Structure formats: structure tokens, C-alpha cells
Amino acid sequence: MSETHNGGRVVIAGAGPGDPELLTVKAARRLQQADAVLYDSLVTREILDLAAKGADMVPVGKRCGDGQDQTQRQNAINELMLDYARRGALCVRLKAGDPFVFGRGVEEVRFLTERQVTVEVIPGISAGIAAANLFHVPVTERYRTSSVILSTGHTSTCSMEEFDSVVALLKQGTPLVLYMGMKHLECICQRLLDAGFSPDFPLCAASRVSMPDQQLICATLGTICLLLVKTPLPTPVVFFVGEHAVPISQQTV
């Protein structure tokens, strides 16, 4: 990869699901070396406090309903990273979860490499994988599930062909891990019901994964929406859909 001429570079690092103890050692080291940190809204204060003293701390994350044009927001982030790198700085772009799992990390790497900026990507623990472990929800298991689907809540508005492929895999026993699904959850559940799934088909919701107030609600396609109206969950929320995607303690072997 081409080096930025003055030694500046960008590190795109995953902060994980929130618990600072789940941050990788490499990401922590880069924060301690950083001249600037551009961080997402979901990154916790404990993780931000690891940054080098005197580093520029720049909040660039989005919040639900904040009214920002997301294309303009991302363009501004790209230009900030480029500016820091061209000034010879070590800029850490700190992203919640994993940079390449619905995190626009690919877009940022592409933008920077096209401008000959040195980029390092550090993986983070994605919320869906963290939730599966912390709540003992098997998303893969020998002799039961050999694959898993990672999808966004925009599944509800995607093409019928794309949705049909998700349905086909679910019917074969492949669990669905659904990110950012709260807004379109009712539509997603209805589409699955229309596709022939039983109202009793399992669906779990994991809230604020890895944080002290994390919680898991286990329900079904037919009950989850009403349940979340009666008992709203703090965001962010990750959903598990599938016959095997329930906590081990609730499974029958």
C-alpha cells in the first residue's frame, strides 16, 4: 500500500459492542498513540479515555432521528480523515462494533486508498457475535447449523428476490442475526409470516449488548412487536431469528 508522503496515516478500528474489556489490545494501543480520534456515538467514555492525552477528540457519529444527511455526514468524515493524514497525524477512526459489519468501513478504506493514504483496519467484536456469546445463543452448532445470516433491518425494503433467499435459508435452519431492525421490525415479522412461518417461530431481542444493563427478551414472530410496545428496550438492539437461535437454557436437545 502506498505511504502517505509525510508519514500520516489512518487507523480504522472497531471498538466492539461497548464493554471496554472487549476492546482489542491493538485498538487500545493505537488509541494511546493517536493524534486525533474520530469516534461514533455508541463508543463508551471508558474506551475514549484510553486515547492519548492531548489528542483531538472529534465526535462524528449519528443518532437515530438526528436529522443529518448521512451522505453529507460520511463525506465530512472522509475529508477529516484525509486532512489529518495529510498533516502527518495518526488519525484513529473509532467505530462501534466491527468496521466491516454494517459500519461503512469499506467505504472509508476505499476513499483513503484512492488518495494514497496509508490505512490500517483493526477488527472489533460485532454486537451480533457478542450477543450470541454473552446470552448463550448458538448461531452455529455442529450437526444443527452450518451457516448464519447477518442482515440489516432494511431487509424489509429490499427486493423480493433478496428476501426470498433469506427465507429459504431460515427454512433450512440457518439463524438470522438482524441489526438495526427496530424501525422495520413489524414489517419484517409480517413478511416472514406471509412466507409461511408460524407465529410461534422463535425471535429474541438483545439490548445494549455487553453493557451492565444488557438484557435479552425471548419471544416469537407473533408476540415480539406487541411485547416491545409494552416493554420498550433501550437501543441498540440486535435480533436473533431462527428455530435454533434461542438461549441454550431454553432449547430441547
Side-chain angles (χ1 to χ4, degrees), residues 149 155 160-174 176 188 191-197 201:
I149 308 166
T155 298
M160 286 304 297
E161 292 79 9
E162 184 178 353
F163 189 75
D164 285 346
S165 66
V166 172
V167 168
L169 288 170
L170 271 174
K171 287 184 175 179
Q172 294 171 16
T174 299
L176 168 64
I188 292 168
R191 291 188 69 176
L192 290 173
L193 291 168
D194 291 343
F197 288 92
F201 197 66

Side-chain angles (χ1 to χ4, degrees), residues 130-152:
N133 284 269
L134 295 172
F135 292 112
H136 303 172
V137 177
V139 291
T140 64
E141 184 177 3
R142 188 169 44 174
Y143 307 129
R144 282 194 174 188
T145 52
S146 59
S147 60
V148 61
I149 308 166
L150 303 181
S151 181
T152 75

Side-chain angles (χ1 to χ4, degrees), residues 94-108:
L94 191 60
K95 305 174 76 66
D98 179 89
F100 274 38
V101 179
F102 308 123
R104 296 201 176 194
V106 174
E107 298 173 37
E108 293 172 352

Side-chain angles (χ1 to χ4, degrees), residues 54-222:
D56 292 347
M57 304 298 292
V58 186
V60 295
K62 63 180 178 180
R63 289 282 188 182
C64 183
D66 62 11
Q68 292 188 59
D69 180 287
Q70 297 311 319
T71 298
Q72 292 180 4
R73 184 187 71 88
Q74 188 60 53
N75 289 341
I77 292 170
N78 291 346
E79 292 298 333
L80 268 173
M81 292 188 295
L82 180 61
D83 181 60
Y84 275 114
R86 285 179 170 171
R87 285 192 277 148
L90 169 56
C91 175
V92 174
R93 172 71 177 103
L94 191 60
K95 305 174 76 66
D98 179 89
F100 274 38
V101 179
F102 308 123
R104 296 201 176 194
V106 174
E107 298 173 37
E108 293 172 352
V109 169
R110 184 176 292 119
F111 173 87
L112 293 166
T113 54
E114 287 175 352
R115 288 155 181 81
Q116 290 76 52
V117 173
T118 302
V119 184
E120 177 185 20
V121 179
I122 301 175
I125 301 176
S126 182
I129 302 303
N133 284 269
L134 295 172
F135 292 112
H136 303 172
V137 177
V139 291
T140 64
E141 184 177 3
R142 188 169 44 174
Y143 307 129
R144 282 194 174 188
T145 52
S146 59
S147 60
V148 61
I149 308 166
L150 303 181
S151 181
T152 75
H154 302 298
T155 298
S156 62
T157 56
C158 72
S159 68
M160 286 304 297
E161 292 79 9
E162 184 178 353
F163 189 75
D164 285 346
S165 66
V166 172
V167 168
L169 288 170
L170 271 174
K171 287 184 175 179
Q172 294 171 16
T174 299
L176 168 64
V177 181
L178 185 67
Y179 293 73
M180 299 169 282
M182 189 70 80
K183 181 178 179 181
H184 298 297
L185 182 63
E186 185 173 354
C187 179
I188 292 168
C189 289
Q190 188 58 56
R191 291 188 69 176
L192 290 173
L193 291 168
D194 291 343
F197 288 92
S198 166
D200 296 326
F201 197 66
L203 191 154
C204 298
S207 168
R208 288 181 52 79
V209 175
S210 84
M211 302 304 290
D213 59 343
Q214 71 174 9
Q215 56 182 308
L216 182 75
I217 290 180
C218 294
T220 67
L221 284 179

